[in-house]
Amino acid sequence: MEGNKIVNKPSRYMSILFIIALISIIISYLSIIDNQYFNIGLFAIGFFIAGISATSVLHPSLSFRELTRKFVLILAFGLVFSLLSSIIVTYFMDISLNNINIVLSIFSIILMIIFLFRDKGNKKNSEVTTESKINENIAETVDDIENLTDDGGSYSKISSLAILILAVFTLMSMTIPPFNVLHVWYFAIIPFIAFVPGYYIINTLVTRKDDLLVVERMSVAVFSSLIIMSIIGLIIVQINGKLNMRYVSIILVILSVILILVYLIKIRKVPNNERFYHRKTNILLVIFAIIAILAIVGSGIYATTENLGQGNTTFVVNGINKTADSNGYVNFTDGENVSVQLNVTNQEHKNMNYTVRVEVHNDTTNKTLTEQPVSLKNGQSWVLPYNLTMSPGQKDIQFVLYKNNKPYIIRHLYCNVTSDYNESE
């Protein structure tokens, strides 16, 4: 009877939350109350309803009072579903707080439906046999013995050191040739995107093993890591106008290194037998780090032996807004000013020295108008703005990119320049 009583409690408060979420959808959809402060309050309510609903799915047998003690989980789930709602509204709907509230409430209702199915399953399995209880107690006792014999501090430090070394190799695979040729960092960056930042944040804030369950720590670690990655991505988009996963990944790796160092300093104050560690997680982190490091080193060796490091340089001339005639010449008038931009991008997988020249060639003269040396790091771009003033005659204006003191790319602009006046009789 006592087991049924505990299981039935969540169903009662969940029906109240369901009604509140439904009312929120109606108010937001019909814009019944068009007040910004009211909508913000409605969003705050939806935020916590989503967090409580998701936490209830994870812990379907807890009462409402017991759930409210899972504040970290509620906050993490609320952030995740609020962010998902904002992304959905940004890409598929008109951006407004009302639409975010609607999507957030729909997420909450879906989570409540999932909870109901889990709740029914708990009721069917509430009768636990004496034998299974004994087995569970034996398993817990074995785990306790393992925890007493294992040195949690050593496991945590070894896995943290492995991730720190992996961070160095990951940065190397993104920036230093020949390790950056095969883009193995796409694989090495996975834990830094989906687990490591959040894992070390929660373990730094809650260092003692009895304060949170393992499943709660892992859930917060994954969700908070994804949130951090999304926030960094949004900031990069605002700065650059587009998403660059290389920049996002570099920031995540550096942030992870800082968090690991803070964590190692923090746990020094906590006794080994009290601090949290999870043996399987630590072992998996070490194994992944070893595999990723070997893959990065192997990619560098393979790229060198197979001569895969040969890259290229792009050289683009922008600003010519006229089309050529049937003879391939572009018509201009005497004295016309043409502003061009010469764009050079180094993709040679190493630092390069270039020279950019603008030359004029015709039947009577060959002249260099400008010459500009430039040094670029791998992946770096450079733009040279240049103004041309047209003079009469047919000519070939050449934009030449020199690499290793030899012409590498030549762009031609064949011009036919005429005087801008009409002869009168």
Side-chain angles (χ1 to χ4, degrees):
M1 291 296 293
E2 183 66 17
N4 289 336
K5 183 179 178 182
I6 294 175
V7 173
N8 284 335
K9 283 183 179 180
S11 300
R12 289 198 288 269
Y13 75 76
M14 194 60 68
S15 61
I16 297 174
L17 296 181
F18 179 85
I19 293 172
I20 295 174
L22 197 60
I23 292 173
S24 176
I25 292 175
I26 295 172
I27 292 175
S28 299
Y29 182 75
L30 299 178
S31 299
I32 296 175
I33 303 177
D34 189 13
N35 183 280
Q36 190 70 12
Y37 295 105
F38 177 82
N39 291 333
I40 292 174
L42 207 60
F43 171 79
I45 293 172
F47 176 93
F48 284 105
I49 290 177
I52 293 171
S53 301
T55 307
S56 298
V57 172
L58 198 62
H59 299 285
S61 62
L62 296 183
S63 67
F64 184 76
R65 180 176 295 181
E66 291 168 331
L67 272 178
T68 55
R69 295 173 186 170
K70 307 287 184 181
F71 182 74
V72 175
L73 269 184
I74 292 173
L75 187 63
F77 281 125
L79 285 171
V80 168
F81 287 102
S82 297
L83 183 63
L84 287 176
S85 301
S86 302
I87 293 172
I88 290 172
V89 169
T90 300
Y91 285 98
F92 300 104
M93 305 169 69
D94 294 330
I95 301 177
S96 70
L97 196 54
N98 278 339
N99 286 337
I100 293 175
N101 287 336
I102 291 172
V103 176
L104 187 58
S105 297
I106 291 173
F107 271 129
S108 298
I109 291 174
I110 293 172
L111 290 169
M112 292 176 199
I113 294 172
I114 297 173
F115 159 78
L116 290 176
F117 285 104
R118 290 209 46 163
D119 189 33
K120 290 179 180 179
N122 278 351
K123 290 179 181 178
K124 292 180 181 179
N125 298 322
S126 59
E127 296 294 331
V128 181
T129 62
T130 304
E131 183 180 354
S132 64
K133 286 184 177 179
I134 294 174
N135 291 336
E136 287 178 3
N137 291 333
I138 293 174
E140 290 178 359
T141 304
V142 171
D143 288 340
D144 290 339
I145 294 173
E146 288 182 353
N147 290 340
L148 289 174
T149 56
D150 290 339
D151 186 358
S154 298
Y155 277 114
S156 299
K157 290 177 182 178
I158 291 172
S159 63
S160 300
L161 180 62
I163 296 299
L164 286 174
I165 297 173
L166 175 60
V168 174
F169 275 86
T170 303
L171 291 174
M172 186 173 69
S173 70
M174 287 189 280
T175 56
I176 301 176
F179 303 102
N180 62 348
V181 174
L182 295 179
H183 302 294
V184 180
W185 66 270
Y186 290 163
F187 167 71
I189 198 65
I190 291 174
F192 297 102
I193 290 177
F195 185 72
V196 170
Y199 183 69
Y200 282 97
I201 286 175
I202 190 62
N203 288 343
T204 301
L205 295 176
V206 188
T207 55
R208 300 183 186 275
K209 60 184 178 182
D210 295 330
D211 292 341
L212 278 178
L213 298 176
V214 173
V215 66
E216 293 174 336
R217 288 180 186 269
M218 298 306 168
S219 300
V220 173
V222 172
F223 291 140
S224 55
S225 296
L226 294 175
I227 290 171
I228 292 170
M229 185 267 294
S230 301
I231 292 173
I232 293 174
L234 289 173
I235 294 173
I236 295 295
V237 169
Q238 293 298 318
I239 295 175
N240 284 350
K242 61 181 180 179
L243 181 63
N244 189 317
M245 278 307 298
R246 181 186 293 270
Y247 294 158
V248 174
S249 300
I250 290 174
I251 294 172
L252 282 173
V253 172
I254 295 173
L255 177 62
S256 297
V257 170
I258 295 172
L259 291 172
I260 292 172
L261 295 177
V262 172
Y263 164 76
L264 291 175
I265 294 172
K266 181 72 179 291
I267 62 171
R268 293 172 62 185
K269 303 177 182 178
V270 182
N272 281 355
N273 61 342
E274 294 183 15
R275 72 179 61 160
F276 169 80
Y277 77 98
H278 191 249
R279 183 179 181 183
K280 291 181 180 179
T281 301
N282 291 330
I283 292 174
L284 287 175
L285 287 175
V286 172
I287 292 173
F288 184 92
I290 293 173
I291 294 173
I293 291 170
L294 290 176
I296 292 170
V297 174
S299 71
I301 296 173
Y302 181 75
T304 302
T305 56
E306 297 296 325
N307 199 24
L308 298 178
Q310 294 182 352
N312 62 80
T313 300
T314 60
F315 182 48
V316 180
V317 179
N318 296 317
I320 309 298
N321 300 320
K322 296 184 178 183
T323 57
D325 59 20
S326 58
N327 296 321
Y329 281 83
V330 180
N331 293 316
F332 296 96
T333 56
D334 184 17
E336 183 175 351
N337 289 320
V338 180
S339 297
V340 296
Q341 298 84 38
L342 311 182
N343 193 321
V344 182
T345 301
N346 176 14
Q347 297 175 335
E348 303 283 350
H349 309 302
K350 58 183 177 180
N351 298 339
M352 293 294 298
N353 295 318
Y354 302 99
T355 300
V356 176
R357 288 184 187 174
V358 181
E359 304 172 355
V360 177
H361 301 270
N362 56 29
D363 294 337
T364 59
T365 182
N366 296 310
K367 182 179 180 182
T368 299
L369 300 179
T370 186
E371 180 175 326
Q372 183 73 43
V374 59
S375 298
L376 297 178
K377 297 180 180 179
N378 181 50
Q380 187 177 6
S381 296
W382 175 77
V383 177
L384 171 65
Y386 188 75
N387 292 321
L388 292 166
T389 301
M390 296 299 177
S391 58
Q394 288 188 338
K395 60 198 70 183
D396 174 17
I397 299 178
Q398 295 183 5
F399 306 95
V400 187
L401 177 69
Y402 286 80
K403 185 176 75 171
N404 299 325
N405 296 320
K406 296 179 180 179
Y408 178 59
I409 301 175
I410 301 176
R411 306 296 184 196
H412 296 269
L413 174 60
Y414 296 102
C415 304
N416 183 29
V417 184
T418 58
S419 299
D420 188 17
Y421 65 87
N422 295 323
E423 294 184 359
S424 58
E425 295 181 359

